[in-house]
């Protein structure tokens, strides 16, 4: 079951895409809570850009298999809540610090990814799936 206008065979690989999304989510959680060395990004507010990119990627990935707008909103709220929870947990670790600006970057990333999921970028996975499906010769 994809978005309106999507052919059913576009989602033959739905479990693969969901596994990709959940893997990305686990990576974000791990990178948020593990002690990490300095990122090495020599860009002003570079860590904020990393937050933005991570949450935009999650929202774009999850948003592509959302059944409808309501589900996209629920996903987005869940990702924002995850970001808030991770920021709070970082403050409890003793080796990471909580930064409200990170939460703003996370939220901006969710909004960006959700917006991208509504446009042509939101059909990337279905296009890949269609190619995989047509490559089977069926």
């Amino acid at each position: 079951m994809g978005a309106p206008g999507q052919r059913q065979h576009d989602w033959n690989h739905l479990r693969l895409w969901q596994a990709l999304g959940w893997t990305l989510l686990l990576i974000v959680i791990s990178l948020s809570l593990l002690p990490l060395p300095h990122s090495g990004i020599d860009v002003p507010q570079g860590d904020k850009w990393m937050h933005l990119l991570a949450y935009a990627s999650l929202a774009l990935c999850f948003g592509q298999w959302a059944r409808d707008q309501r589900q996209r909103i629920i996903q987005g709220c869940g990702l924002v809540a995850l970001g808030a929870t991770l920021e709070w947990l970082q403050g409890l670790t003793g080796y990471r610090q909580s930064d409200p600006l990170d939460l703003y970057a996370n939220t901006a990333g969710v909004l960006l990814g959700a917006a991208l999921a509504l446009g042509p970028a939101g059909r990337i996975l279905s296009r890949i799936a269609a190619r995989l499906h047509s490559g089977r010769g069926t």
Side-chain angles (χ1 to χ4, degrees), residues 7-100:
R7 296 173 302 212
Q8 184 59 40
H9 81 270
D10 287 349
W11 292 105
N12 285 339
H13 298 88
L14 179 60
R15 290 181 204 262
L16 174 65
W17 306 132
Q18 288 174 332
L20 171 67
W22 289 109
T23 300
L24 286 173
L25 188 73
L26 290 173
I27 289 170
V28 168
I29 291 169
S30 298
L31 291 175
S32 296
L33 296 176
L34 292 173
L36 298 173
H38 176 64
S39 67
I41 296 178
D42 292 328
V43 175
Q45 299 298 320
D47 69 313
K48 306 305 179 256
W49 289 105
M50 289 173 33
H51 282 263
L52 181 98
L53 180 61
Y55 281 82
S57 299
L58 286 170
L60 175 60
C61 186
F62 278 88
Q64 290 188 57
W65 67 71
R67 289 185 302 273
D68 54 27
Q69 195 62 18
R70 179 178 177 272
Q71 189 175 23
R72 278 192 185 93
I73 291 169
I74 291 169
Q75 289 172 342
C77 290
L79 289 171
V80 171
L82 172 71
T85 301
L86 291 173
E87 283 305 312
W88 175 71
L89 290 172
Q90 283 179 344
L92 300 176
T93 63
Y95 51 83
R96 300 288 297 258
Q97 64 184 26
S98 181
D99 183 352

Side-chain angles (χ1 to χ4, degrees), residues 105-130:
N106 296 347
T107 302
V110 169
L111 293 172
L112 175 62
L116 289 171
L118 295 173
R123 294 184 290 279
I124 290 171
L125 296 181
S126 65
R127 281 190 236 131
I128 293 170

